[in-house]
C-alpha cells in the first residue's frame, strides 16, 4: 500500500511538472515536482493507510537477574565473600548466552540501607523489568529480611537461587563479663576490684581501663593470645569520700569490633571516712555521756575523747578538737564556752555538731531567742519533715515506748528543719536540724536520752545513735546516683536507667518509691516509669522507640527528697549493623518456596545453555498523530505555492 501510494504520487507529480508555462529550468521543475510528490504521498497515506503496521523479529535469550544486598548489615566479611563468587557466577551465565541484568537492593531497589525488604524489591523489579523470559533470580544476600510474608514470592513463579558460605563467619569481640567490687569502701583503704574480660575469636593484647568519676586511675593489659578470658585485679584507694562513679572499659587497637556496647561496665562505690573521731563535751559526767561512749565503742575504727571542764568559763583549744569530725555537747544547764567562735570555725570547715540538752546562745544554733527548762515532761513525736531521713524511721517505730522527757522550750529559726515535736500545746520543737556553712547542726532540746534504752531494744538504741553520728560525720556528697546502662543507644534498643541510693548514714535504701522521668532535647517530658528493685540497686526500663537525639533523665523520690540527673544519646537506627553472619533460615526458605537452589560451593553450579527465542514484534504507528508528518506536509505545500507564485506559474 505504501509503495502504491508512492508510485501514484510520483506519477501525478511528473504529469504536473513535465512541462510548465513559462518554461522553467530543470532544477526548478524537479524541485517543484519533489514538493508535489511529498504532499501527494502524505495525502494518499492519510487516505489509504493512516495507521502504519509493521512486524519485526528479534532474538531474545533467557534472562538472569542478579540481586545484590547492599544494606548496612553487609559488612566487610560478607562483601568480600560476594565479591569473590559473584563475578565467577556472572561470567558462567554470560558464557552460557544468558542476558545478565544486575541490581542492588535493601529497602527496595533505591531505598535506605537501614532496612532489608525482599518483597518490596521484587515489586519494584516487576515494574522495571519484563520477567516473562527470566530463567532465574540470583540472590546475594545475608538473609536478614524484615518481610513478614515471604511466601508471597511464590506468585513470581521464578526460581530464586541463593548463595552463602557453608561455614559461619567469624567476628572478633571483646567484652566485660563481670566486675566484682564492694559497694562500700573506706577512705584511703585499698579496695580490690576484679574484672573478668572475655575475648571471642580474638588473639592479641587488650587494655582494661579503670575510671573513677570519669578520670582514669589505672590501666592493665591482658593477653588473649593463648586464652579466651582473663581476670584482671585492680587495687584502688579512694582519696575522697562520697558516692563515686565506677567505669571499667576494655579496648584494643588491633580489633575492629562490630558491637562495642559490651565493652563497658558502670557501677558506684560509697566511700566513707577511714579515721572517724568524736569529741564529747559535757558539764557533767552522767549517764548520757556513758551510754554515748558505749555506742561509739561498738564501731570499728571510731575514736572518741571526753572533755569535762573543771572550771568556767571554759575555753576550747585547737588540741581539744584536733582531727574531730563530730562534736557532741551535752549541756545540763551549767556549761559555758567562752570562745564560741572557735565552734563556728569548726563547723565552717565542714564538721558537725550534736547538741543535747540546753541549747547554746550562739549564731550556729537552730533556735531563735532564749529557752528555758520546763517543769513538766512530754513525749516526743517524729514529724513528717523527718521522713526524708531514714535514721528517724527507727525512732518512729519505737516512739510509743519512750517515756516522757524533760525538755527546753524554744522557737526554731526560719531555715531550721523541725524533725520532732513535743506533745505540748504549742507543739514546740524537740529535734531541729540546720546547716551552718559546710557544717551540720543537730539539736535535741531535752535531757536523759539514756532512758530510751530502758524502754526499747538495746540494739535499736545503739543503731539510732550510730547512724546519727555516721551521718553527721560524713561530708556532704551525692547519696543518690543514677546512670544509664550505656552512654549511647541505637534507635530501637531498650534503655535501662540504674539507681543506687543511700540514706544520710550511707546505708543502702531498700524501700524507695523512685520514679524516672525522660526528657527530650527541648526539655519536654516524654515518658515516666517507676523503678523496681534489682539486687543492691533500682532499675527503670524505657522500651519506646525513641527518635535519634540527645536525652536527659531525672530520678526522684518524694519520700526522701532525693534527686539525680543524667543524660544519654540515641543514634540513628542502624540495627542492620548488628545482624552478624547469614540468616540461613530465611535464605533456605526463600529458595524452597520459589523452587530455587542453595549454593555454598561453585563446584555445585551447573548451567545449561540459554534458550534463544525468536520474538515477533508487531507495532502500529498512527501517522495522523505524528506532528512531524503534518508539519512536513504543511511546509512542502506552502513552499510549492510560494515558488510557483515567484516563478510565474500562478
Amino acid at each position: 500500500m505504501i509503495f502504491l501510494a508512492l508510485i501514484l504520487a510520483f506519477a501525478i507529480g511528473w504529469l504536473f511538472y513535465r512541462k510548465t508555462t513559462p518554461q522553467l529550468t530543470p532544477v526548478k521543475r524537479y524541485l517543484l515536482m519533489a514538493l508535489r510528490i511529498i504532499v501527494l504521498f502524505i495525502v494518499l497515506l492519510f487516505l489509504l493507510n493512516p495507521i502504519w503496521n509493521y512486524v519485526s523479529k528479534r532474538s531474545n535469550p533467557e534472562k538472569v537477574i542478579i540481586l545484590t544486598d547492599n544494606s548496612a548489615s553487609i559488612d566487610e566479611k560478607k562483601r568480600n565473600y560476594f565479591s569473590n563468587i559473584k563475578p565467577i557466577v556472572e561470567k558462567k551465565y554470560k558464557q552460557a548466552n544468558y542476558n545478565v541484568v544486575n541490581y542492588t537492593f535493601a529497602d527496595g531497589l533505591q531505598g535506605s540501607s537501614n532496612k532489608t525488604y525482599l518483597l518490596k524489591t521484587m515489586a519494584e523489579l516487576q515494574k522495571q523489568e519484563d520477567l516473562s523470559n527470566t530463567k532465574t533470580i540470583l540472590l546475594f544476600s545475608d538473609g536478614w529480611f524484615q518481610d513478614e510474608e515471604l511466601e508471597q514470592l511464590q506468585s513470581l513463579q521464578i526460581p530464586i537461587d541463593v548463595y552463602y558460605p557453608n561455614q559461619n563467619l567469624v567476628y572478633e569481640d571483646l567484652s566485660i563479663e563481670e566486675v566484682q567490687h564492694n559497694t562500700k569502701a573506706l577512705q584511703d583503704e585499698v579496695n580490690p576490684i576484679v574484672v573478668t574480660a572475655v575475648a571471642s575469636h580474638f588473639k592479641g593484647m587488650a587494655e582494661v581501663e579503670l575510671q573513677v568519676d570519669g578520670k582514669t586511675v589505672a590501666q592493665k593489659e591482658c593477653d588473649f593470645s593463648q586464652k579466651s578470658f582473663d581476670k584482671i585485679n585492680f587495687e584502688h584507694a579512694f582519696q575522697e569520700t562520697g558516692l563515686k562513679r565506677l567505669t571499667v572499659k576494655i579496648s584494643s587497637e588491633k580489633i575492629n569490633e562490630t558491637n562495642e556496647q559490651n565493652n563497658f561496665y558502670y557501677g558506684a562505690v560509697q566511700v566513707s571516712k577511714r579515721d572517724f573521731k568524736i569529741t564529747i563535751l559535757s558539764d557533767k559526767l552522767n549517764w548520757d555521756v556513758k551510754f554515748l561512749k558505749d555506742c561509739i565503742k561498738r564501731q570499728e575504727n571510731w575514736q572518741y575523747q571526753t572533755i569535762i571542764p573543771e572550771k568556767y568559763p571554759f575555753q576550747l583549744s585547737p588540741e581539744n578538737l584536733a582531727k574531730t569530725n563530730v562534736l557532741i555537747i551535752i549541756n545540763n544547764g551549767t556549761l559555758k564556752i567562752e570562745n564560741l567562735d572557735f565552734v563556728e570555725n569548726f563547723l565552717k570547715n565542714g564538721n558537725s555538731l550534736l547538741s543535747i540538752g540546753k541549747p547554746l546562745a550562739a549564731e550556729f544554733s537552730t533556735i531563735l531567742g532564749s529557752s528555758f527548762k520546763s517543769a513538766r515532761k512530754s513525749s516526743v513525736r517524729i514529724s513528717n519533715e523527718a521522713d526524708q531521713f531514714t535514721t528517724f524511721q527507727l525512732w518512729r517505730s519505737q516512739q510509743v515506748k519512750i517515756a516522757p522527757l524533760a525538755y527546753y522550750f524554744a522557737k526554731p529559726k526560719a531555715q531550721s528543719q523541725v524533725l520532732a515535736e513535743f506533745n505540748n500545746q504549742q507543739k514546740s520543737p524537740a529535734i531541729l536540724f540546720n546547716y551552718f556553712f559546710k557544717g551540720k547542726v543537730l539539736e535535741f532540746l531535752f535531757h536523759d536520752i539514756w532512758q530510751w534504752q530502758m524502754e526499747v531494744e538495746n540494739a535499736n538504741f545503739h543503731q539510732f545513735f550510730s547512724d546519727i553520728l555516721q551521718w553527721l560525720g560524713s561530708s556532704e556528697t551525692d547519696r543518690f546516683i543514677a546512670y544509664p546502662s550505656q552512654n549511647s543507644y541505637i534507635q530501637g534498643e531498650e534503655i535501662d536507667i540504674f539507681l543506687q541510693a543511700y540514706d544520710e548514714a550511707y546505708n543502702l535504701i531498700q524501700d524507695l518509691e523512685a520514679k524516672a522521668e525522660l526528657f527530650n532535647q527541648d526539655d519536654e517530658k516524654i515518658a515516666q516509669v517507676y523503678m523496681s528493685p534489682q539486687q543492691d540497686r533500682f532499675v527503670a526500663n524505657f522500651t519506646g522507640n525513641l527518635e535519634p537525639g540527645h536525652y536527659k533523665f531525672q530520678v526522684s523520690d518524694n519520700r526522701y527528697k532525693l534527686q539525680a540527673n543524667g543524660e544519654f544519646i540515641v543514634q540513628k537506627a542502624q540495627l542492620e549493623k548488628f545482624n552478624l553472619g547469614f540468616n540461613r533460615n530465611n535464605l533456605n526458605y526463600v529458595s524452597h518456596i520459589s523452587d530455587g537452589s542453595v549454593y555454598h560451593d561453585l563446584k555445585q553450579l551447573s548451567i545449561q545453555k540459554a534458550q534463544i527465542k525468536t520474538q515477533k514484534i508487531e507495532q502500529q504507528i498512527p501517522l495522523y498523530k505524528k506532528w512531524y508528518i503534518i508539519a512536513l506536509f504543511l511546509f512542502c505545500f506552502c513552499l510549492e505555492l510560494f515558488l510557483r507564485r515567484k516563478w510565474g506559474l500562478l
Side-chain angles (χ1 to χ4, degrees):
M1 191 68 69
I2 294 176
F3 291 108
L4 179 62
L6 183 61
I7 293 171
L8 186 59
F10 183 83
I12 296 174
W14 182 80
L15 288 174
F16 263 89
Y17 289 105
R18 123 182 117 80
K19 289 183 178 180
T20 60
T21 303
Q23 188 69 27
L24 298 178
T25 63
V27 174
K28 292 180 179 180
R29 279 193 302 113
Y30 292 147
L31 176 60
L32 291 173
M33 185 184 300
L35 293 174
R36 178 61 60 92
I37 291 171
I38 294 173
V39 170
L40 291 173
F41 178 70
I42 294 174
V43 170
L44 290 172
L45 281 180
F46 284 170
L47 292 174
L48 301 175
N49 191 17
I51 299 178
W52 185 17
N53 298 296
Y54 71 94
V55 178
S56 63
K57 295 181 179 181
R58 185 175 65 184
S59 297
N60 186 20
E62 289 182 295
K63 183 188 300 182
V64 170
I65 297 177
I66 298 179
L67 290 178
T68 305
D69 192 340
N70 67 341
S71 64
S73 63
I74 303 299
D75 53 40
E76 186 177 358
K77 294 179 183 292
K78 300 173 187 176
R79 193 174 296 110
N80 289 339
Y81 170 75
F82 291 149
S83 63
N84 288 333
I85 67 169
K86 178 184 166 184
I88 300 174
V89 175
E90 184 175 358
K91 182 179 180 181
K92 287 189 174 183
Y93 273 100
K94 286 182 177 179
Q95 289 176 344
N97 297 326
Y98 285 92
N99 179 22
V100 179
V101 182
N102 274 281
Y103 286 96
T104 59
F105 77 99
D107 186 10
L109 295 178
Q110 303 294 332
S112 167
S113 64
N114 291 326
K115 299 176 182 177
T116 308
Y117 287 102
L118 187 57
L119 290 177
K120 181 178 179 181
T121 299
M122 292 301 182
E124 294 179 2
L125 184 63
Q126 285 179 295
K127 295 179 180 179
Q128 294 197 26
E129 286 285 338
D130 179 12
L131 303 181
S132 60
N133 195 33
T134 301
K135 174 70 173 179
T136 185
I137 295 176
L138 310 182
L139 184 62
F140 293 90
S141 173
D142 58 1
W144 294 104
F145 311 127
Q146 298 185 29
D147 306 272
E148 295 182 357
E149 299 178 351
L150 287 172
E151 59 270 12
Q152 294 181 17
L153 293 171
Q154 290 177 318
S155 62
L156 284 175
Q157 296 183 346
I158 300 174
I160 301 177
D161 295 343
V162 299
Y163 294 80
Y164 64 86
N166 198 23
Q167 296 180 343
N168 291 325
L169 298 179
V170 175
Y171 292 90
E172 298 176 332
D173 185 50
L174 294 173
S175 64
I176 299 295
E177 187 74 12
E178 182 184 21
V179 177
Q180 295 177 329
H181 65 89
N182 296 323
T183 57
K184 285 189 174 184
L186 293 176
Q187 185 181 16
D188 297 326
E189 184 177 74
V190 176
N191 290 272
I193 301 172
V194 181
V195 179
T196 302
V198 176
S200 176
H201 305 293
F202 172 73
K203 301 295 182 182
M205 302 297 295
E207 185 178 73
V208 178
E209 183 178 339
L210 175 64
Q211 296 179 352
V212 176
D213 287 343
K215 296 180 180 180
T216 301
V217 297
Q219 291 176 316
K220 286 191 177 183
E221 287 189 339
C222 46
D223 188 356
F224 292 113
S225 58
Q226 302 296 329
K227 53 188 176 182
S228 60
F229 74 95
D230 195 7
K231 284 189 177 293
I232 302 94
N233 296 303
F234 290 102
E235 290 185 344
H236 180 70
F238 295 93
Q239 304 298 316
E240 299 177 353
T241 60
L243 197 57
K244 301 299 177 183
R245 186 187 297 269
L246 201 67
T247 305
V248 180
K249 175 185 176 182
I250 187 171
S251 61
S252 176
E253 295 180 353
K254 298 180 179 180
I255 186 173
N256 184 18
E257 293 184 86
T258 302
N259 178 23
E260 294 184 349
Q261 303 299 332
N262 56 2
N263 289 25
F264 297 87
Y265 166 85
Y266 300 97
V269 178
Q270 180 61 53
V271 183
S272 304
K273 290 182 180 293
R274 177 180 178 86
D275 298 322
F276 195 75
K277 184 179 178 182
I278 302 166
T279 297
I280 302 175
L281 174 61
S282 177
D283 54 355
K284 294 180 181 180
L285 188 59
N286 56 13
W287 287 106
D288 282 347
V289 176
K290 185 203 185 286
F291 278 98
L292 282 174
K293 287 167 59 176
D294 291 343
C295 177
I296 295 170
K297 289 178 182 178
R298 290 172 176 260
Q299 304 300 318
E300 188 178 357
N301 297 326
W302 283 20
Q303 302 174 9
Y304 75 94
Q305 66 173 344
T306 304
I307 302 175
I308 309 294
E310 296 180 356
K311 59 179 182 179
Y312 295 104
F314 175 71
Q315 186 166 0
L316 284 165
S317 65
E319 290 77 16
N320 295 141
L321 300 182
K323 298 183 179 180
T324 296
N325 304 110
V326 180
L327 172 62
I328 302 176
I329 296 179
I330 303 176
N331 186 7
N332 295 281
T334 60
L335 183 64
K336 295 181 181 180
I337 301 176
E338 184 175 355
N339 55 339
L340 286 174
D341 58 335
F342 189 81
V343 179
E344 291 181 2
N345 291 331
F346 173 78
L347 293 170
K348 288 178 180 179
N349 290 331
N351 301 303
S352 297
L353 169 67
L354 172 59
S355 175
I356 299 173
K358 184 178 181 180
L360 300 174
E363 184 181 349
F364 54 76
S365 178
T366 61
I367 67 167
L368 182 67
S370 60
S371 60
F372 59 90
K373 186 174 182 179
S374 173
R376 294 178 294 179
K377 293 185 177 183
S378 174
S379 58
V380 177
R381 292 291 180 269
I382 299 298
S383 68
N384 293 333
E385 200 166 356
D387 287 345
Q388 60 184 297
F389 303 106
T390 59
T391 300
F392 288 92
Q393 306 313 309
L394 180 61
W395 188 347
R396 186 187 294 278
S397 65
Q398 302 288 329
Q399 62 186 355
V400 295
K401 302 178 182 179
I402 300 174
L405 303 166
Y407 65 91
Y408 289 86
F409 179 83
K411 293 183 179 180
K413 288 182 178 179
Q415 66 270 29
S416 297
Q417 299 181 57
V418 179
L419 306 183
E421 299 172 339
F422 292 114
N423 282 328
N424 55 21
Q425 186 175 0
Q426 295 83 3
K427 300 295 182 183
S428 61
I431 302 176
L432 297 103
F433 173 72
N434 200 3
Y435 289 95
F436 186 78
F437 292 91
K438 295 181 181 180
K440 297 186 282 286
V441 179
L442 183 66
E443 297 196 62
F444 291 1
L445 303 183
F446 46 82
H447 287 289
D448 301 329
I449 58 174
W450 65 272
Q451 293 183 18
W452 299 1
Q453 195 169 228
M454 310 301 293
E455 304 294 339
V456 302
E457 296 180 14
N458 188 47
N460 289 340
F461 175 86
H462 289 291
Q463 181 66 46
F464 176 77
F465 280 99
S466 294
D467 288 348
I468 287 289
L469 295 174
Q470 179 71 48
W471 167 37
L472 296 176
S474 301
S475 57
E476 283 296 306
T477 60
D478 291 333
R479 297 187 286 113
F480 205 65
I481 184 169
Y483 49 90
S485 58
Q486 302 169 186
N487 289 330
S488 176
Y489 295 90
I490 303 299
Q491 187 180 12
E493 278 190 289
E494 290 190 355
I495 297 169
D496 289 328
I497 305 297
F498 295 112
L499 166 69
Q500 285 183 240
Y502 296 83
D503 63 16
E504 63 281 0
Y506 296 100
N507 299 310
L508 279 169
I509 301 177
Q510 304 291 345
D511 59 344
L512 281 177
E513 294 182 359
K515 64 180 178 181
E517 298 172 296
L518 195 59
F519 301 87
N520 61 18
Q521 55 192 9
D522 297 324
D523 292 328
E524 299 172 339
K525 186 166 75 171
I526 58 175
Q528 173 181 307
V529 297
Y530 281 91
M531 309 190 79
S532 56
Q534 185 188 81
Q535 296 179 350
D536 59 348
R537 59 186 179 181
F538 293 81
V539 62
N541 178 263
F542 294 97
T543 58
N545 190 15
L546 300 178
E547 293 296 322
H550 184 269
Y551 291 86
K552 300 176 183 178
F553 63 86
Q554 182 181 90
V555 177
S556 59
D557 181 85
N558 291 330
R559 178 178 179 184
Y560 296 103
K561 310 298 182 186
L562 296 173
Q563 180 177 300
N565 301 284
E567 55 189 36
F568 58 86
I569 295 173
V570 174
Q571 298 179 357
K572 188 175 181 179
Q574 293 180 331
L575 293 179
E576 284 265 340
K577 290 188 176 181
F578 297 96
N579 292 331
L580 304 179
F582 288 81
N583 190 329
R584 299 166 183 269
N585 292 334
N586 273 353
L587 293 173
N588 291 335
Y589 183 67
V590 167
S591 173
H592 173 72
I593 62 175
S594 65
D595 292 329
S597 302
V598 176
Y599 295 100
H600 307 301
D601 189 345
L602 293 184
K603 295 178 181 179
Q604 304 171 279
L605 186 60
S606 177
I607 302 176
Q608 297 178 350
K609 286 286 185 179
Q611 295 181 4
I612 300 178
K613 297 180 180 179
T614 301
Q615 186 177 9
K616 291 184 178 181
I617 302 175
E618 295 183 2
Q619 288 188 325
Q620 293 181 337
I621 301 177
L623 299 177
Y624 60 88
K625 290 185 178 180
K626 303 301 180 182
W627 66 269
Y628 46 84
I629 296 179
I630 297 175
L632 179 62
F633 169 80
L634 294 175
F635 174 77
C636 294
F637 181 78
C638 294
L639 182 60
E640 183 188 2
L641 289 178
F642 173 76
L643 294 176
R644 284 176 64 86
R645 178 180 292 275
K646 184 177 180 180
W647 294 334
L649 296 180
L650 289 179

